[in-house]
Amino acid sequence: VEGRFLKPTLKKKREVKMPSKEQILAHLMQRIGTPYLWGGNVAEGVFRPDRAFSSPFERRINCLEGLDCSGSLYEATGGCVPRNTSDLWALGEEREDVKPLDIFVLKGHVGIMLDSNWVIESKHDWGGVVVHPLKSRFSWIDEPFTIRRFL
C-alpha cells in the first residue's frame, strides 16, 4: 500500500537492531539444508497456504520458501544489512584476514565466514544453504572479490 493511503499512526518505522554475533551464527547454522530460492529472504516462506500441495517443491514455490545467498545474511541479521550483493560490496571495511561473520562478495554472490576454516553460502547449483571449507572455496573463485567486515 502506498504511504499516502496510510494513516499517520501506521507509518511508524520498525526498530531494527543488529543481533549478536552468536545469534547470527546460530541462525545461519539452523539454515543449513534450506532450499535455494532466488530473491528468498524468509526461509519459511512469506505465504501461509490455505490448501495442501501435491509436493514439497510445489509448496516451496507457491509459498516462496527458501533463501538465496544475500537473503540468508539479511534474514540472519534481522534486516540490518543490505539485501543485495552490489550494496554488500561496500559494507563495512575491506579486510585481508578472516574472522567469523566476515563476508566475501563477488559479482552476484556472497558467502559468510563461520570461522577461519568454514564458509556458509546459498547457491542454486548446490541446492541451497551449504557449508564449504574456506580454503577450497576461495580456490574456486576466478573473478574479483572482496572480504568485508561489518561487525
Side-chain angles (χ1 to χ4, degrees):
V1 175
E2 207 174 314
R4 64 188 171 147
F5 297 113
L6 298 175
K7 294 180 182 178
T9 57
L10 299 178
K11 287 187 179 182
K12 188 177 178 182
K13 289 190 174 199
R14 76 176 176 102
E15 184 180 327
V16 180
K17 183 181 177 211
M18 180 74 76
S20 70
K21 282 186 176 187
E22 294 76 19
Q23 290 171 316
I24 296 170
L25 287 168
H27 189 94
L28 289 167
M29 293 302 290
Q30 290 173 354
R31 295 301 184 233
I32 295 172
T34 298
Y36 179 87
L37 179 70
W38 182 79
N41 60 351
V42 180
E44 290 86 16
V46 295
F47 299 115
R48 296 294 166 239
D50 57 356
R51 66 181 179 91
F53 294 105
S54 61
S55 71
F57 177 77
E58 184 187 14
R59 177 188 167 83
R60 185 169 61 85
I61 296 304
N62 282 286
C63 297
L64 299 177
E65 295 175 350
L67 297 167
D68 67 10
C69 59
S70 56
S72 61
L73 180 62
Y74 185 82
E75 181 192 52
T77 61
C80 289
V81 298
R83 176 60 184 87
N84 61 49
T85 54
S86 58
D87 290 336
L88 290 171
W89 189 273
L91 180 67
E93 60 182 29
E94 188 166 30
R95 302 297 299 201
E96 291 187 17
D97 62 325
V98 175
K99 290 191 175 182
L101 291 184
D102 286 354
I103 58 175
F104 75 86
V105 186
L106 50 124
K107 184 179 179 183
H109 187 67
V110 62
I112 307 132
M113 313 305 175
L114 294 174
D115 57 29
S116 59
N117 298 310
W118 299 95
V119 62
I120 189 167
E121 308 172 73
S122 184
K123 203 165 181 189
H124 183 273
D125 300 351
W126 301 329
V129 180
V130 294
V131 175
H132 286 289
L134 183 62
K135 285 184 182 181
S136 66
R137 182 62 184 103
F138 280 166
S139 70
W140 302 339
I141 300 172
D142 60 356
E143 59 186 283
F145 70 94
T146 181
I147 297 173
R148 311 298 296 187
R149 183 164 300 150
F150 65 94
L151 280 177

